[in-house]
Amino acid sequence: MSARNIFARPARYAAIAPYLWMVLFFLVPFGFVLKISLSQTAIAQPPYLPLFEFTEGWGALKAAFAALSLDNFRLLISDNLYIATYLRSLVVAVTSTLILLLIGYPIAYGMARLPQRWQGVAMMLVIVPFWTSFLIRIYAWINILQHDGLLNKILLALHLVSVPVVWLSTDSAMYLGIVYSYLPFMILPLYATLAKLDPALLEAASDLGAAPLATFWLVTFPLSLPGVGAGVLLCFIPIVGEFVIPDLLAGSSSMMIGQTLWLEFFTNKDWPVASAAAVALLLLLVPPLLLYDRLQRRTLQGEG
Amino acid sequence: MTEESPEIDAPEIEEAVLPVKSAPPAEPAADMPLLRIEGVGKKFGNFRAVDRLSLDIRAGEFFALLGPSGCGKTTLLRMLAGFETPDEGRILLDGKDIAPVAPHQRPVNMMFQNYALFPHLSVRDNIAFGLKRAGMARADIATRVGEMVALVKLDGLEKRKPDQLSGGQKQRVALARALARRPQVLLLDEPLAALDKKLRESTQLELMELQRRLGMTFIIVTHDQEEAMTMANRIGVMDAGRLEQVATPRELYEAPRSRWVAEFVGDINLFEGEISSREHHRLNIWTRLAGTIVAAEPRQRVTQANVSVAIRPEKVKLSRRGPVSDAGTSQAINRLEGVVTDVSYLGGLTVYKVKLDSGAVVRSSMANTARLDFDAYSAGRRVVAWFTPDDCVVLEQ
């Protein structure tokens, strides 16, 4: 028996853990959602049909299966409202992710260049907002942005504006809220890759005649791409489904998919359509995930 | 060269057209070295990494900066590359102060200790990196990269990424990348430290051969004295930010100028003592541990009475029985009696430790010239360790 075998068994069991987690808390619930999305709305408790009644035997189960329909998905495609919501969600997510990258990259870069003992402090400062509830922080923004809020008071005091500006219930307020909330998720993976970057590589670039800006674009940036990918995904995916921030800070003229889900589920009590919308959202997120996976694999192959 | 002036006569043009690749670059003024370091100092906080150091390096030289870790050799090299700025002093390259020149504009290139290859670029792109920055034409870059790949024998690996290369191959890419721009001076920071012993030895020879062929000036930083001795024309031994001695390998080994150098470069036996008398270029030195030692008087007159006598182990011979015939090599022979305490067989030679009656230990290394040596000395045997006055180096305290 080699030493390796002693550790092989527990290691194999440990490897099962994430799959078990995924099955229990993702695949099984997703199965429910998928099933509901294929059902019909009904005034009942729960508000959809067909239901699987295991007590009524095989025949009933088969009938229930036969009753499943794609009507809800057809509705999603045929109704401009849903398509518009999806598009808006994508536009908001792409725009905010770009803003986050533009703000987060310099911050992460600066952090990675700090003296070692200050890096920990900077890291703390990035994480500190998490100590306050997310909802409270968004409400605080409402306070700051409202008609007689802090921002307008400052602008008026500085004579930059003569009448209070409408901030709340605008897209600007929503983007502000999103960027504010998601910035740490962009900074942390970027910082992690930039801090790992060997300073000798930058010296080598400079030694070989690259001016500082060229060094950045030819060495630093390409080598930080895994961090960029992780940060972009960590922000993009939850922003697409974001509900709280657009609901509290944006105007009611257009909605994001998260808001539509909420509306269908709680106001219209239309579980099947809400589920179909959720399934469609998931499908929407698959392509960027696959793309990221491909990129990751390519980097790994390059390294291995 | 051809643009100079229209009225050059024919023979001169012919000479100008000749390839100058293999010849070392002609010096404008014979007395001006390629690189002059003048009173350069660098402090990190309170630590004096380089202490008002001055050094001249000639064009075409293979110069080694040798010293223990923390002696300031790497800091000095980094100042030449431009990664550190001297606090004081000047660095002149070709007579011009290079202090205001940014690292990316200096005509020197560096080979980094851990190679610092760009992991996201292929071998070809790593080598071409500096050429592209120099704004070289595409076709010329391809030609030069091809030359470099052939020079360091990396053919067929151009498309690989650094992580798909062995340690020795990475070392070659780093070398090719640093050489590609044909720098006036190539700086090498511990270039062989990451290679195993066999590969290191063959690479040493290749580096020497390459340097001779290119006629380029190499400055290498190393803590490995064997490496420095093998490769360099001249060695600067550094300690605590200062140059202890600048000399050829042979001079450094046979005539170290200080006790520190003697102990750092190679193995040595040291006896502290006092000069008791001088006669016919011979010094009689009384040592507490080895009695009176007769030593040849060094060329530089010893002014102090307190000295150390240093003898390299290979100069100390052992013999079984008492008085040894001195066969006219010198009138007096130093004999120290003791007991062999330790025998280390190293293949080509054997190192013996002999404990003298005074308690001092003398090391003797003797070449194993015969395959079957029935006369080998074993531990516990009483022997005479002997050496001639000319074998002794007298160092002032």
Side-chain angles (χ1 to χ4, degrees):
Chain A
M1 281 273 147
S2 68
R4 208 199 282 161
N5 270 341
I6 300 173
F7 297 102
R9 228 166 248 256
R12 213 171 294 153
Y13 290 139
I16 295 172
Y19 293 105
L20 202 66
W21 181 274
M22 284 295 283
V23 167
L24 274 181
F25 298 107
F26 176 75
L27 271 185
V28 171
F30 181 72
F32 288 137
V33 173
L34 189 65
K35 196 244 147 207
I36 297 173
S37 77
L38 297 170
S39 310
Q40 301 289 341
T41 320
I43 300 173
Q45 195 58 259
Y48 59 88
L49 282 170
L51 291 168
F52 292 134
E53 291 295 346
F54 293 99
T55 46
E56 286 173 22
W58 184 239
L61 216 57
K62 235 160 103 176
F65 256 108
L68 291 177
S69 80
L70 286 169
D71 285 354
N72 299 311
F73 288 95
R74 274 186 211 112
L75 179 70
L76 285 185
I77 298 168
S78 63
D79 193 335
N80 279 339
L81 174 80
Y82 293 106
I83 294 175
T85 351
Y86 279 118
L87 277 179
R88 178 167 159 82
S89 295
L90 282 181
V91 169
V92 169
V94 168
T95 315
S96 354
T97 306
L98 277 179
I99 300 173
L100 280 162
L101 189 60
L102 286 178
I103 298 176
Y105 202 103
I107 295 177
Y109 186 81
M111 278 171 67
R113 289 297 188 86
L114 283 175
Q116 201 67 43
R117 61 206 162 101
W118 288 107
Q119 289 192 12
V121 177
M123 183 88 128
M124 276 304 289
L125 289 176
V126 171
I127 299 173
V128 146
F130 288 126
W131 291 7
T132 312
S133 150
F134 168 66
L135 262 179
I136 290 174
R137 282 182 285 139
I138 294 302
Y139 273 107
W141 273 112
I142 294 181
N143 243 306
I144 293 168
L145 297 174
Q146 67 198 7
H147 189 70
D148 55 349
L150 188 65
L151 183 61
N152 274 334
K153 277 182 187 162
I154 291 173
L155 290 176
L156 287 169
L158 292 173
H159 298 290
L160 288 171
V161 294
S162 48
V163 283
V165 182
V166 179
W167 294 110
L168 218 51
S169 302
T170 62
D171 275 6
S172 319
M174 178 191 63
Y175 280 119
L176 184 73
I178 291 177
V179 168
Y180 164 79
S181 307
Y182 283 93
L183 197 54
F185 296 104
M186 183 58 88
I187 291 177
L188 292 179
L190 278 175
Y191 165 74
T193 39
L194 286 169
K196 271 193 312 193
L197 192 72
D198 184 358
L201 293 177
L202 306 182
E203 288 183 349
S206 154
D207 185 66
L208 292 165
L213 201 64
T215 301
F216 176 80
W217 284 114
L218 294 169
V219 180
T220 310
F221 188 71
L223 288 177
S224 68
L225 279 179
V228 172
V232 162
L233 272 192
L234 274 178
C235 293
F236 180 81
I237 290 175
I239 292 173
V240 171
E242 183 58 58
F243 164 71
V244 175
I245 301 172
D247 206 51
L248 292 179
L249 296 178
S252 50
S253 57
S254 56
M255 285 198 290
M256 285 177 68
I257 191 64
Q259 293 165 283
T260 312
L261 272 177
W262 171 277
L263 204 71
E264 293 295 352
F265 205 85
F266 291 101
T267 314
N268 293 351
K269 293 255 186 293
D270 193 341
W271 286 21
V273 169
S275 302
V279 172
L281 175 63
L282 192 86
L283 294 177
L284 204 65
L285 293 177
V286 167
L289 269 173
L290 285 179
L291 189 74
Y292 177 71
D293 190 56
R294 277 249 322 252
L295 284 177
Q296 276 271 333
R297 216 166 285 199
R298 210 163 63 190
T299 356
L300 280 181
Q301 271 169 358
E303 280 166 16
Chain B
M1 280 203 155
T2 46
E3 299 164 7
E4 255 177 32
S5 77
E7 61 242 54
I8 306 173
D9 35 14
E12 267 185 3
I13 289 175
E14 243 181 65
E15 216 178 301
V17 171
L18 279 176
V20 284
K21 215 160 140 198
S22 54
E27 270 296 87
D31 55 331
M32 191 63 204
L34 177 65
L35 188 70
R36 168 161 280 174
I37 298 164
E38 272 180 8
V40 162
K42 177 76 188 173
K43 268 179 157 186
F44 294 115
N46 278 330
F47 175 67
R48 227 178 243 286
V50 175
D51 193 0
R52 292 201 191 92
L53 182 146
S54 295
L55 175 66
D56 281 356
I57 291 169
R58 293 184 293 270
E61 238 187 322
F62 199 137
F63 191 92
L65 283 166
L66 173 67
S69 53
C71 73
K73 57 190 193 298
T74 298
T75 307
L76 183 62
L77 198 75
R78 290 172 58 81
M79 285 194 281
L80 298 180
F83 302 138
E84 308 282 355
T85 334
D87 297 332
E88 53 185 325
R90 297 197 302 165
I91 299 171
L92 304 174
L93 182 67
D94 246 349
K96 286 186 285 284
D97 191 350
I98 55 169
V101 185
H104 68 273
Q105 286 159 339
R106 291 192 184 193
V108 299
N109 280 126
M110 179 144 151
M111 191 185 147
F112 289 80
Q113 176 164 13
N114 292 314
Y115 313 137
L117 298 178
F118 304 123
H120 58 302
L121 299 181
S122 65
V123 168
R124 184 204 309 275
D125 289 338
N126 263 285
I127 299 174
F129 191 94
L131 303 173
K132 284 183 188 160
R133 303 288 84 68
M136 210 185 210
R138 217 164 230 266
D140 295 342
I141 291 179
T143 317
R144 182 73 65 86
V145 170
E147 275 171 34
M148 287 300 137
V149 165
L151 188 71
V152 298
K153 300 176 192 122
L154 278 170
D155 310 74
L157 301 176
E158 295 95 328
K159 284 185 185 151
R160 295 242 186 124
K161 292 274 181 75
D163 288 306
Q164 299 164 314
L165 300 174
S166 71
Q169 290 167 339
K170 282 186 203 173
Q171 195 262 0
R172 284 154 190 281
V173 178
L175 183 63
R177 189 179 70 174
L179 283 173
R181 280 163 69 99
R182 303 222 174 117
Q184 274 188 287
V185 180
L186 181 70
L187 309 170
L188 304 104
D189 187 7
E190 302 270 9
L192 310 175
L195 304 181
D196 60 69
K197 194 170 184 291
K198 257 270 170 356
L199 195 56
R200 201 159 60 218
E201 281 166 4
S202 62
T203 313
Q204 281 172 5
L205 297 176
E206 281 175 36
L207 267 181
M208 290 164 67
E209 157 74 20
L210 207 65
Q211 190 264 347
R212 212 170 304 145
R213 225 164 65 201
L214 298 172
M216 215 180 259
T217 311
F218 278 27
I219 302 176
I220 182 178
V221 151
T222 179
H223 65 273
D224 182 338
Q225 42 124 343
E226 247 176 80
E227 193 171 294
M229 300 273 252
T230 311
M231 293 198 284
N233 308 126
R234 276 200 309 154
I235 299 174
V237 186
M238 278 185 78
D239 183 40
R242 292 165 181 278
L243 275 173
E244 285 284 322
Q245 188 171 358
V246 180
T248 63
R250 188 180 184 89
E251 244 178 276
L252 208 61
Y253 189 76
E254 303 294 358
R257 199 173 300 155
S258 69
R259 190 173 158 162
W260 191 88
V261 173
E263 283 187 289
F264 184 72
V265 179
D267 208 357
I268 203 145
N269 295 299
L270 275 168
F271 296 101
E272 288 174 21
E274 215 176 294
I275 298 175
S276 50
S277 62
R278 298 166 193 258
E279 44 184 278
H280 309 297
H281 306 295
R282 292 272 182 274
L283 297 176
N284 290 318
I285 298 159
W286 190 85
T287 65
R288 198 170 57 79
L289 292 170
T292 295
I293 294 177
V294 183
E297 177 149 27
R299 258 176 293 156
Q300 258 187 326
R301 222 184 134 72
V302 182
T303 50
Q304 285 181 338
N306 284 329
V307 293
S308 291
V309 182
I311 313 109
R312 296 282 180 201
E314 70 277 5
K315 314 282 192 293
V316 178
K317 293 100 182 166
L318 299 186
S319 62
R320 224 168 281 266
R321 279 167 299 281
V324 184
S325 147
D326 44 351
T329 47
S330 75
Q331 296 93 334
I333 274 187
N334 297 294
R335 297 183 190 84
L336 305 171
E337 277 186 50
V339 179
V340 174
T341 57
D342 191 48
V343 182
S344 315
Y345 177 77
L346 302 175
L349 40 84
T350 302
V351 178
Y352 299 92
K353 282 188 186 157
V354 178
K355 193 170 185 184
L356 304 184
D357 299 335
S358 65
V361 173
V362 175
R363 268 157 306 170
S364 157
S365 70
M366 296 206 283
N368 294 321
T369 49
R371 194 167 79 84
L372 303 171
D373 191 358
F374 302 108
D375 278 345
Y377 305 95
S378 51
R381 175 172 283 278
R382 200 163 172 82
V383 291
V384 173
W386 61 274
F387 48 91
T388 69
D390 287 331
D391 292 334
C392 302
V393 179
V394 180
L395 300 165
E396 297 192 19
Q397 292 280 10

